[in-house]
Amino acid sequence: MKKIAIFAKVHDPRCVGIAEELVEWLVARGLSPLVEPHLAKHISCTYTAKRDDIPEQADLVVVLGGDGTLISVARLVGDRQVPILGVNLGSLGFLTEITLTEMYPALERCLKGDYEVSERMMLRVSLHRDGAEIEGRQVLNDVVINKGALARIIDLETEVDGRYLTTFKADGLIISTPTGSTGYSLSANGPIIHPQLDCLVITPICPHTLTNRPIVVSGDALITISLQSVNEDVFLTLDGQVGFEVKHGDQIRIQRAERQTRLVQSRSKDYFEVLRTKLKWGER
């Protein structure tokens, strides 16, 4: 590994300071840091690269911040499948599980090729209008279709692999990966899914029919959702960070992406320890 990309939560002074130290650490070892321009301005760094060009150049990506920062970087890396080392500088994250004290030892191991990755499913999401695809993106966590603040309950006709499932009458619908099952889906009473399982979760948001419950389907499924409601404010949100307006008759197609996100794993903790800590299991 020669080229190491650095992304950080630029509004957090601590993240910016650590990013500056990390650049110096890499340069001292004869490595080439790749810093996106927005972060480079905060640390007076000359080792810059265009944000969209970084995935093609980097051998490893280091993310300083929380899960939200890592999720945005995962979408950027996309098909390149560069390993991502997520360093959490706040409370323990589900994705950024490596602590600051573990960062440099973990980097040393990565540079030697002595590391393990957790491969996480991503989704390919496309929005179709009048028979044409108008948006197409990849997501790591979840796809959410929900109504605006003043809109009424919306009707979402849902098919799985071309077979009619139901028309959800609800405030919205969440389609999550196993990684995203501990996010919005969990707060909507969805199940916790181990990240290595091959499945998708469909979770209705405040359904009008109480018997509409979350359902787990195959990871190979093609989920198609059509908005049947007229004159309602409806939005498609990807990973809680990117959004689009959905109109009557629009169709949303969701399926497994060709590539996966590769997360460098911590050697000091496992997934169940993260669950216990984050969800405070065993505490009275």
Side-chain angles (χ1 to χ4, degrees), residues 127 135 137 144 235-238 240-246:
L127 176 62
E135 293 290 349
R137 303 291 177 95
V144 179
F235 301 93
L236 171 66
T237 307
L238 311 181
Q241 298 176 341
V242 179
F244 306 99
E245 183 180 5
V246 182

Side-chain angles (χ1 to χ4, degrees), residues 49-238:
K50 291 183 179 179
R51 182 179 175 89
D52 292 342
D53 293 341
I54 287 178
E56 292 300 323
Q57 301 179 35
D59 300 310
L60 175 70
V61 174
V62 179
V63 178
L64 306 172
D67 284 354
T69 308
L70 188 146
I71 288 169
S72 67
V73 173
R75 288 200 310 276
L76 175 68
V77 171
D79 290 340
R80 183 67 174 80
Q81 287 193 291
V82 184
I84 300 174
L85 192 155
V87 182
N88 193 287
L89 303 181
S91 59
L92 178 67
F94 280 110
L95 300 175
T96 49
E97 60 182 46
I98 292 175
T99 64
L100 181 58
T101 55
E102 294 176 314
M103 180 176 73
Y104 289 112
L107 275 170
E108 292 279 13
R109 290 194 301 272
C110 287
L111 296 176
K112 295 175 183 177
D114 179 24
Y115 66 96
E116 296 179 354
V117 298
S118 173
E119 295 191 339
R120 304 296 184 91
M121 176 196 294
M122 296 191 76
L123 299 177
R124 172 54 160 79
V125 185
S126 57
L127 176 62
H128 298 255
R129 182 171 297 156
D130 298 326
E133 179 178 319
I134 60 173
E135 293 290 349
R137 303 291 177 95
Q138 291 192 148
V139 302
L140 175 61
N141 251 19
D142 53 36
V143 179
V144 179
I145 304 103
N146 58 359
K147 69 183 186 68
L150 300 179
R152 296 168 294 183
I153 285 175
I154 55 178
D155 295 340
L156 298 168
E157 183 181 287
T158 305
E159 296 181 351
V160 177
D161 290 332
R163 297 183 177 182
Y164 177 64
L165 173 63
T166 189
T167 298
F168 290 100
K169 294 180 178 292
D171 284 356
L173 199 60
I174 306 165
I175 313 299
S176 74
T177 63
T179 297
S181 69
T182 51
Y184 191 8
S185 176
L186 181 61
S187 68
N189 209 30
I192 295 174
I193 305 291
H194 191 281
Q196 297 306 313
L197 291 179
D198 187 17
C199 61
L200 301 174
V201 185
I202 303 173
T203 308
I205 304 170
C206 299
H208 182 65
T209 302
L210 295 180
T211 52
N212 279 149
R213 310 305 300 166
I215 180 171
V216 179
V217 299
S218 167
D220 291 324
L222 167 62
I223 300 172
T224 305
I225 302 165
S226 302
L227 177 62
Q228 301 299 309
S229 301
V230 182
N231 299 325
E232 298 293 347
D233 292 329
V234 180
F235 301 93
L236 171 66
T237 307
L238 311 181

Side-chain angles (χ1 to χ4, degrees), residues 31-44:
L31 302 171
S32 301
L34 297 172
V35 183
E36 56 98 5
H38 191 40
L39 173 60
K41 291 179 181 178
H42 285 74
I43 62 177
S44 301

